[in-house]
């Protein structure tokens, strides 16, 4: 079946540190891949997406590249801020007919000043 | 604009109460969704509406009753809930049911 595996959290960083949150997936075919962010007490916000192999999604300094050969979609940011503290969900959706979003378990990021 | 709004933001209800959650979008999206999210877990899909018709019910108990009065509005009617139904209820919408989903801020529900 389809699944998403994310690194266990929390990830604890100091401000201006480099961030990587690992995400790997299992799916048949070529799914679309997403990163959603959930700030404390809020709903999910779409952070970025990629719909085919080698696509790079980017937004607000975050980037992720769709790597078909390693079935990965790792989230990176060059310099994190305290305001980036949140839970990050990697998700996939197959592209044939209606398909549910399949979420990873989420990774909590804590950034200290 | 990718805004989905939800009301109320917080709701406390007893097990014998009837209440409703409301979700609205004005992006012309034709698919709308209800999700349930427990603490420290990812969202779980409950219902999907496509072109105002219920297309997916993920075996949700009948005490949850969705309604889509028009293409911009989605309701979730709640009746005789249990304490374990306490959660964050998220609404989402997308252009079509194969498109990117945009989420609202959620309604935090507490059942006493």
């Amino acid at each position: 079946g389809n699944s998403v595996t994310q690194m266990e959290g929390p990830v604890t960083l100091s401000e201006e540190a480099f961030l990587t949150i690992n995400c790997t997936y299992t799916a048949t075919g070529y799914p679309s891949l997403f990163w959603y962010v959930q700030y404390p007490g809020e709903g999910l916000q779409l952070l970025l997406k990629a719909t085919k192999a080698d696509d790079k999604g980017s937004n607000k300094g975050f980037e992720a590249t769709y790597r078909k050969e390693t079935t990965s979609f790792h989230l990176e940011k060059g310099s994190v801020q305290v305001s980036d503290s949140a839970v990050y969900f990697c998700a996939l959706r197959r592209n044939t007919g209606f398909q549910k979003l399949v979420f990873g378990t989420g990774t909590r990021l804590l950034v200290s000043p | 604009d990718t805004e989905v709004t939800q009301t109320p933001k917080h709701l406390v209800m007893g097990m014998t109460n009837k209440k409703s959650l409301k979700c609205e979008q004005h992006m012309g999206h034709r698919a709308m969704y209800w999700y349930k999210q427990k603490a420290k877990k990812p969202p779980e899909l409950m219902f999907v509406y496509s072109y105002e018709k219920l297309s997916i019910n993920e075996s949700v108990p009948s005490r949850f009753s969705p309604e889509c009065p028009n293409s911009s509005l989605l309701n979730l009617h709640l009746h005789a809930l249990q304490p374990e139904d306490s959660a964050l209820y998220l609404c989402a919408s997308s252009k079509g049911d194969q498109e990117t989903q945009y989420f609202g801020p959620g309604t935090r529900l507490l059942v006493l």
Side-chain angles (χ1 to χ4, degrees):
Chain A
N2 304 319
S3 65
V4 174
T5 301
Q6 287 183 240
M7 60 192 292
E8 288 281 331
V11 173
T12 304
L13 295 173
S14 297
E15 208 164 24
E16 299 183 4
F18 184 86
L19 168 71
T20 300
I21 299 179
N22 290 339
C23 171
T24 56
Y25 68 89
T26 302
T28 53
Y30 303 99
S32 293
L33 301 173
F34 306 86
W35 277 101
Y36 284 90
V37 58
Q38 187 170 32
Y39 297 101
E42 297 186 12
L44 272 68
Q45 296 178 25
L46 178 66
L47 184 58
L48 53 84
K49 66 178 183 180
T51 56
K52 61 184 188 297
D54 300 324
D55 266 1
K56 177 187 281 189
S58 61
N59 186 25
K60 301 181 182 180
F62 291 90
E63 292 183 341
T65 301
Y66 188 141
R67 302 277 187 209
K68 178 170 161 290
E69 62 277 9
T70 54
T71 62
S72 65
F73 192 55
H74 304 321
L75 184 67
E76 295 182 337
K77 187 177 185 184
S79 175
V80 293
Q81 305 300 312
V82 173
S83 56
D84 293 326
S85 298
V87 179
Y88 292 80
F89 290 97
C90 185
L92 71 81
R93 193 196 69 240
R94 288 185 58 204
N95 292 317
T96 52
F98 172 74
Q99 299 286 343
K100 294 195 305 185
L101 268 176
V102 177
F103 288 95
T105 52
T107 301
R108 180 173 298 278
L109 170 66
L110 299 170
V111 181
S112 55
Chain B
D1 183 14
T2 54
E3 189 178 25
V4 177
T5 59
Q6 289 187 244
T7 54
K9 192 171 173 62
H10 300 278
L11 179 63
V12 180
M13 61 186 290
M15 289 190 283
T16 58
N17 291 158
K18 286 186 182 180
K19 297 285 185 184
S20 297
L21 310 185
K22 179 179 169 182
C23 172
E24 204 159 1
Q25 57 85 15
H26 295 288
M27 298 178 279
H29 288 179
R30 302 316 298 266
M32 297 185 78
Y33 311 78
W34 281 115
Y35 286 84
K36 174 182 177 180
Q37 186 182 24
K38 300 286 275 184
K40 300 185 189 297
K41 298 289 188 183
E44 297 174 6
L45 183 65
M46 299 174 72
F47 302 104
V48 181
Y49 273 82
S50 181
Y51 289 85
E52 300 160 51
K53 291 192 183 334
L54 182 65
S55 59
I56 303 282
N57 176 342
E58 289 284 295
S59 303
V60 178
S62 59
R63 57 185 184 270
F64 295 91
S65 175
E67 178 197 21
C68 189
N70 59 57
S71 60
S72 301
L73 191 55
L74 185 66
N75 297 321
L76 186 63
H77 302 299
L78 314 172
H79 173 53
L81 294 193
Q82 304 297 310
E84 60 264 30
D85 296 322
S86 298
L88 181 67
Y89 288 84
L90 294 164
C91 174
S93 72
S94 59
K95 280 186 185 176
D97 61 11
Q98 299 177 44
E99 304 285 337
T100 300
Q101 293 180 31
Y102 296 90
F103 287 78
T107 292
R108 194 162 296 280
L109 173 68
L110 178 62
V111 182
L112 299 177

